[in-house]
Every structure is written in structure tokens, then in C-alpha cells.
Amino acid sequence: KQEVTQIPAALSVPEGENLVLNCSFTDSAIYNLQWFRQDPGKGLTSLLLIQSSQREQTSGRLNASLDKSSGRSTLYIAASQPGDSATYLCAPLRTGGFKTIFGAGTRLFVKA
Amino acid sequence: GAVVSQHPSWVICKSGTSVKIECRSLDFQATTMFWYRQFPKQSLMLMATSNEGSKATYEQGVEKDKFLINHASLTLSTLTVTSAHPEDSSFYICSARGGKNNEQFFGPGTRLTVL
């Protein structure tokens, strides 16, 4: 059974800092892995998707890396802004699976 | 990214009534759709998974007779909360997976309040 752990659980930083959010998963037989953000009272927004054959994906100030063999993914946020404040969730999809398993998320607060 | 819509965005109903929530994938065909619920400051909890034209697969502890899911087409799924009670008050979010990368997209959620 896939288990997903995200560290840290919460993070509060001043604006402008570069951030690292960590995700680890127990079953490395994944098809892809997505990073999402969720704003309070809203649905989830897909940020990045990494296929199992890829090692990283970039979108603007966001960069996600994947090390499938060690069961880890990292989301880097460069030059953080108050608008980045949200809960960030990683979700690996098991090969041949239907369900995406979510971690509990990292709650980020960026202070102006 | 692809768009998933949900309707209504919020609903208030009396205890004992039924509420239907619609979920649509607007610009792609969803091979699989999901329904989640989320209580304040808690993680998403998967309720059920459905594929078009087949019965939904419910997670352990989710009452299939209370939470009726219909996946009528590749772009539409509905969740009906039957005989709703105050403890059913929650944030319900649908999700759809499809496309060449098998990416998952989420709707904006529906806030259900049962009085």
C-alpha cells in the first residue's frame, strides 16, 4: 500500500526565500507524480506532472525533481512570494493504478 | 491546464433532503473520475472512483447507498448525497483523469451545509 509523507508539515518564511518541499513515497513503481497546490476553501490546482521516466520538470519559479528509486520528489520554489501561500500536495500514481494517493501536504505561509 | 467544473459551488439544504453535485471535464475526456471530501484543515479523503459506464468503487467506510455516484459519460459524473444529515456537511471535490499524460485535474469544490 502506497504511503506518502511530506516534510515539513508547515513552513513560514519571509518573502524572497528559496524553498524546498519534500515528498517521499513507499512504492516506487509509479507511473507519474503530480504536485498540486490548494488554497483555503478551494479545489486543487495542478502545478507540475513528472512522468516516471523523467527526473525533473520546471514551470516558472517552480521546479520538481523525481528520484523514483529512492521514492522521493522535491518541489523547489524560487524567490517565494506571498501569493505562494497555500498547501502543497504531492501525489504519486502507481503504475497500473487508478487512485492517486495524497500526502498530508505542506502548509506554506510567505510573509510580505 | 484542463478544466473541471463543479456545480453548485455551495448548497444549503435541510436535513433529510437529497443533494446532487455535478462534475464535468470541459475540454478532455476523463477515463476516470474521483470524488473526495474534505473537512476543515484536514486532508482530502477519497470517497470513490468511477469509470464511465461502470459502477463506482467505494473506499472502505463510505456508504454506497448514501453517496450515489453516476458516471454517465466521459465528461460527466454526479454525486448524490441522499437523506443528508448535518454530519454530511463538508467540502466535496471531484477530480478527473485523462489526456495523453494521464494527468489528474480537480474541480473547484462544492461546500455542502446541512441544517
Side-chain angles (χ1 to χ4, degrees):
Chain A
K1 179 185 173 185
Q2 180 74 281
E3 293 182 5
V4 182
T5 304
Q6 288 189 245
I7 295 173
L11 187 60
S12 180
V13 299
E15 182 177 9
E17 280 204 5
N18 298 325
L19 307 173
V20 176
L21 307 183
N22 296 292
C23 170
S24 62
F25 45 94
T26 55
D27 185 352
S28 62
I30 62 170
Y31 179 78
N32 63 33
L33 183 144
Q34 281 186 260
W35 281 92
F36 296 88
R37 68 174 279 170
Q38 184 178 27
D39 294 281
K42 302 287 179 64
L44 276 65
T45 301
S46 180
L47 298 174
L48 289 163
L49 179 147
I50 311 177
Q51 299 288 5
S52 63
S53 58
Q54 297 174 321
R55 293 197 59 90
E56 65 178 325
Q57 278 288 339
T58 298
S59 176
R61 294 181 295 109
L62 305 179
N63 174 278
S65 66
L66 174 65
D67 184 344
K68 200 172 70 164
S69 61
S70 67
R72 292 180 185 175
S73 179
T74 303
L75 180 67
Y76 299 89
I77 303 177
S80 59
Q81 301 171 357
D84 295 331
S85 299
T87 297
Y88 289 81
L89 298 145
C90 79
L93 174 65
R94 188 173 63 84
T95 300
F98 290 107
K99 298 188 293 188
T100 303
I101 305 298
F102 283 91
T106 293
R107 190 172 297 176
L108 173 65
F109 180 62
V110 181
K111 298 171 283 189
Chain B
V3 178
V4 175
S5 70
Q6 260 184 262
H7 178 81
S9 56
W10 59 270
V11 58
I12 302 172
C13 68
K14 292 183 179 179
S15 185
T17 60
S18 294
V19 175
K20 181 186 281 188
I21 303 170
E22 281 191 359
C23 176
R24 293 181 185 271
S25 58
L26 298 183
D27 51 1
F28 70 103
Q29 293 187 327
T31 51
T32 309
M33 288 182 133
F34 308 86
W35 287 95
Y36 297 82
R37 67 188 296 182
Q38 186 177 37
F39 293 105
K41 297 190 177 181
Q42 292 190 21
S43 301
L44 290 169
M45 185 194 85
L46 179 65
M47 299 175 67
T49 303
S50 72
N51 295 296
E52 183 260 343
S54 61
K55 290 184 179 180
T57 301
Y58 289 80
E59 294 299 300
Q60 192 172 8
V62 178
E63 299 175 59
K64 62 178 70 174
D65 294 330
K66 180 164 186 65
F67 298 100
L68 301 178
I69 291 171
N70 184 278
H71 193 158
S73 73
L74 285 171
T75 60
L76 173 64
S77 177
T78 59
L79 168 69
T80 301
V81 183
T82 63
S83 187
H85 291 285
E87 58 266 30
D88 298 324
S89 299
S90 189
F91 191 53
Y92 292 85
I93 309 175
C94 76
S95 178
R97 176 180 294 132
K100 63 175 184 173
N101 292 323
N102 215 21
E103 192 167 354
Q104 188 167 353
F105 298 96
F106 283 78
T110 296
R111 174 78 54 195
L112 170 63
T113 302
V114 185
L115 303 176

